[in-house]
Amino acid sequence: STPEGIVNFTGIEPGFYSATITHSFSANGSTVYINGLKNLDIFSSIIDTIPIVVSKTNAFIIKEYYYSGCLTPAGKQYLSDQYIEIFNNSETTQYADGLSIVEHESYGIGENYWTFLPDDIVVKMIWTIPGNGEEHPVGPGQSIIFARDAINHRDDPNGNPLCPVNLGDADFEFYVYTASNADIDSPTSPNLIEDLFTFRGSDVCFHVKGGSAIALVSIPGGTNEEERKEFINNNLIAKNNSGGSSTRYYCKIPVENVLDAVEVVFDEPHAIYKRLPIELDAGYTYNEFGARSAKCLRRKVKEVIDGRTVYQDTNNSSEDFFKGVEPKPKIYE
């Protein structure tokens, strides 16, 4: 490479490629990341440029995302053990009150419909941590768990003895109220606030293959539920379904309100269908063991400072995450 940023490659096999640029440097006591991503079709000699973006990291990051589910002794699919873990990667106590976990509208199986909104992400689900601003402190190097069902999945009568996790002490639960009480409300974990659930069913369910890209966001209004819901209502955006017979509404959230995001795809071939802007995630990740594998995505450890684990966060999930490991909620290694 040259000081002008020119890199030459020779002898490359013809085909479809994805080129990633990642660089970091320290400035004023914090780390700045430069990321770039571009898909390239190489069937002859070409000269091309890759635009780059500068991004920053936040105190709260997504440490672990378990969506694959597992199998029961009878060989049936078990998905009630899905969870998301967020982690305080800073050296000071942070408050989680009013933060929201969201899921992107698309499963990433085709071109991103929302490219005309480059400064927003469009989501179909918003669940928010309750609190007045100082009710849910998270110490440095500590985390909180959002469980689909906050039970000890290994020994609960409704659970699965082959499940890899005990979520009985989860900090929050995705609870969907329905008249049929199809979703059991765990008495041990407070419920997240359901702010948006476009495809509302009897329970929250993330795609077991990994199509559910997620983000942690701070919605304007935050802990003020009325203000937060007003923002959501003012930012609803319509999309016709594939048949055109009905319209569904999603919410667009500015990129600047996103604290952390993970571009989760089915597998390597689906990585071309990127949904998140590269300033949020310059790469992508997936569980290479597939659905019902009892494996999760877990962020890599960067270093340990005086006993406090610090996780790698370059805003490039291709580099930051292990692609299918044992779930280890609340274990920091």
Side-chain angles (χ1 to χ4, degrees):
S1 61
T2 69
E4 292 76 29
I6 299 171
V7 182
N8 292 310
F9 295 97
T10 59
I12 296 176
E13 291 289 326
F16 302 99
Y17 288 83
S18 177
T20 303
I21 296 172
T22 301
H23 178 65
S24 65
F25 61 91
S26 296
N28 300 321
S30 62
T31 303
V32 178
Y33 293 96
I34 294 175
N35 288 309
L37 177 71
K38 191 169 189 178
N39 294 323
L40 301 170
D41 301 346
I42 300 177
F43 293 99
S44 61
S45 295
I46 66 166
I47 297 175
D48 208 335
T49 58
I50 301 176
I52 60 172
V53 296
V54 178
S55 62
K56 65 183 190 305
T57 60
N58 292 285
F60 280 118
I61 58 172
I62 296 166
K63 173 230 169 191
E64 207 157 291
Y65 181 22
Y66 172 68
Y67 54 78
S68 73
C70 53
L71 292 173
T72 67
K76 293 185 177 180
Q77 176 173 266
Y78 184 82
L79 309 178
S80 297
D81 55 347
Q82 295 178 327
Y83 69 87
I84 296 167
E85 181 177 14
I86 68 169
F87 181 86
N88 177 6
N89 213 33
S90 77
E91 57 189 23
T92 59
T93 295
Q94 304 289 324
Y95 291 91
D97 307 44
L99 297 183
S100 304
I101 200 79
V102 302
E103 180 185 355
H104 195 277
E105 178 272 332
S106 167
Y107 282 139
I109 55 177
E111 294 298 328
N112 180 17
Y113 177 85
W114 307 104
T115 50
F116 63 92
L117 294 171
D119 299 321
D120 299 279
I121 62 171
V122 178
V123 303
K124 59 186 172 186
M125 195 163 68
I126 302 173
W127 291 82
T128 303
I129 299 171
N132 61 18
E134 295 187 345
E135 290 183 42
H136 302 294
V138 183
Q142 300 297 309
S143 66
I144 53 179
I145 302 283
F146 305 140
R148 174 174 166 176
D149 289 312
I151 63 172
N152 184 344
H153 291 271
R154 292 173 179 156
D155 63 12
D156 191 283
N158 295 305
N160 171 19
L162 299 183
C163 179
V165 291
N166 169 12
L167 300 179
D169 59 352
D171 300 271
F172 297 98
E173 181 179 52
F174 294 97
Y175 172 66
V176 181
Y177 173 79
T178 57
S180 63
N181 292 319
D183 189 10
I184 298 172
D185 188 4
S186 170
T188 60
S189 297
N191 296 327
L192 294 166
I193 299 168
E194 180 188 328
D195 280 332
L196 179 72
F197 196 0
T198 301
F199 295 90
R200 195 175 196 272
S202 58
D203 201 354
V204 165
C205 185
F206 298 103
H207 202 301
V208 295
K209 287 185 177 180
S212 298
I214 59 171
L216 180 68
V217 305
S218 178
I219 292 175
T223 56
N224 185 315
E225 190 166 352
E226 190 174 316
E227 285 184 27
R228 191 176 70 246
K229 294 199 172 183
E230 182 180 6
F231 171 86
I232 293 170
N233 287 334
N234 288 339
N235 284 274
L236 293 178
I237 187 166
K239 178 185 177 185
N240 291 331
N241 71 3
S242 55
S245 59
S246 63
T247 301
R248 294 190 186 273
Y249 289 89
Y250 309 94
C251 182
K252 57 186 176 72
I253 297 173
V255 166
E256 64 189 26
N257 291 95
V258 179
L259 303 182
D260 194 32
V262 186
E263 179 89 47
V264 187
V265 298
F266 285 170
D267 48 29
E268 199 73 35
H270 284 89
I272 60 172
Y273 301 124
K274 190 154 180 60
R275 295 153 289 178
L276 300 176
I278 60 173
E279 56 261 49
L280 297 182
D281 189 348
Y284 55 87
T285 191
Y286 56 90
N287 174 10
E288 60 189 7
F289 295 97
R292 299 172 290 281
S293 62
K295 303 289 187 184
C296 79
L297 306 177
R298 186 167 70 244
R299 194 177 287 270
K300 298 174 183 176
V301 173
K302 178 185 178 185
E303 58 187 337
V304 178
I305 303 174
D306 297 329
R308 174 176 67 89
T309 298
V310 178
Y311 286 94
Q312 180 173 308
D313 183 22
T314 67
N315 288 335
N316 182 339
S317 59
S318 299
E319 303 294 330
D320 292 344
F321 282 84
F322 292 110
K323 291 181 172 65
V325 290
E326 299 293 326
K328 292 187 176 180
K330 299 269 183 157
I331 297 175
Y332 314 123
E333 60 182 35

